Amino acid sequence: MPVPIETIKDRYPAAVTVKFGDSAELSAALISGIRSGKKAATCGALRDFEAGEPLPSVGRRDIVLAWDGSPELVIETIEVVQCSFEEVTAAMALAEGENDDIEGWRSDHREFFQRNGGFSPHMQVVWERFALIEDLAPKS
């Protein structure tokens, strides 16, 4: 049985809830990557944070929600970098665990940003490295 969100918020009272991706399929894939240890970073468009999404900060803990809103993981931010899309390094891109090289990362993220408000190689992004603190999946 899943852990109720209220219980998680009691354990992590300052935590923010976040979702990864822009579809159920992408969200599930990204959560799986975090669980496996392959995904240890993410990035978003600065404009989304300026529109009200809380900016990540070192030490902040987030409750990662599945697409349906159920709690899946707790992560803690350990590094934050704000830069232009074109300034994202290969090391930063590969830490996201979604691609085998920076060109694949650029292609996938260009498409993601185009679907979600527009893309420019000069757009500002907020890149975040995180650590998995707790996997909330029901224990069998």
Side-chain angles (χ1 to χ4, degrees):
M1 190 159 113
V3 179
I5 188 73
E6 295 78 19
T7 302
I8 307 306
K9 287 184 176 183
D10 286 345
R11 281 203 303 252
Y12 303 99
V16 174
T17 56
V18 298
K19 286 186 181 181
F20 283 90
D22 62 352
S23 69
E25 182 180 18
L26 181 56
S27 177
L30 297 175
I31 289 169
S32 176
I34 297 169
R35 264 197 183 105
S36 73
K38 186 175 180 185
K39 181 171 182 61
T42 191
C43 83
L46 178 61
R47 67 172 173 254
D48 295 334
F49 297 103
E50 291 171 338
E53 192 176 317
L55 266 169
S57 58
V58 173
R60 187 182 85 185
R61 292 190 171 176
D62 295 331
I63 302 167
V64 179
L65 304 176
W67 198 249
D68 67 2
S70 60
E72 293 284 331
L73 309 165
V74 177
I75 59 174
E76 183 175 321
T77 303
I78 57 176
E79 183 181 3
V80 178
V81 175
Q82 183 179 322
C83 62
S84 70
F85 179 87
E86 61 195 359
E87 291 174 318
V88 172
T89 66
M92 292 166 70
L94 295 177
E96 291 196 36
E98 299 166 41
N99 303 96
D100 294 328
D101 58 39
I102 193 165
E103 291 310 317
W105 180 91
R106 286 180 180 146
S107 176
D108 287 354
H109 282 72
R110 183 179 310 112
E111 290 174 18
F112 176 83
F113 290 132
Q114 284 173 335
R115 288 193 310 267
N116 293 281
F119 170 77
S120 161
H122 309 294
M123 68 186 282
Q124 291 292 296
V125 297
V126 178
W127 179 87
E128 169 187 9
R129 184 183 305 274
F130 53 79
L132 176 60
I133 300 299
E134 184 177 356
D135 187 339
L136 302 170
K139 310 297 182 248
S140 40

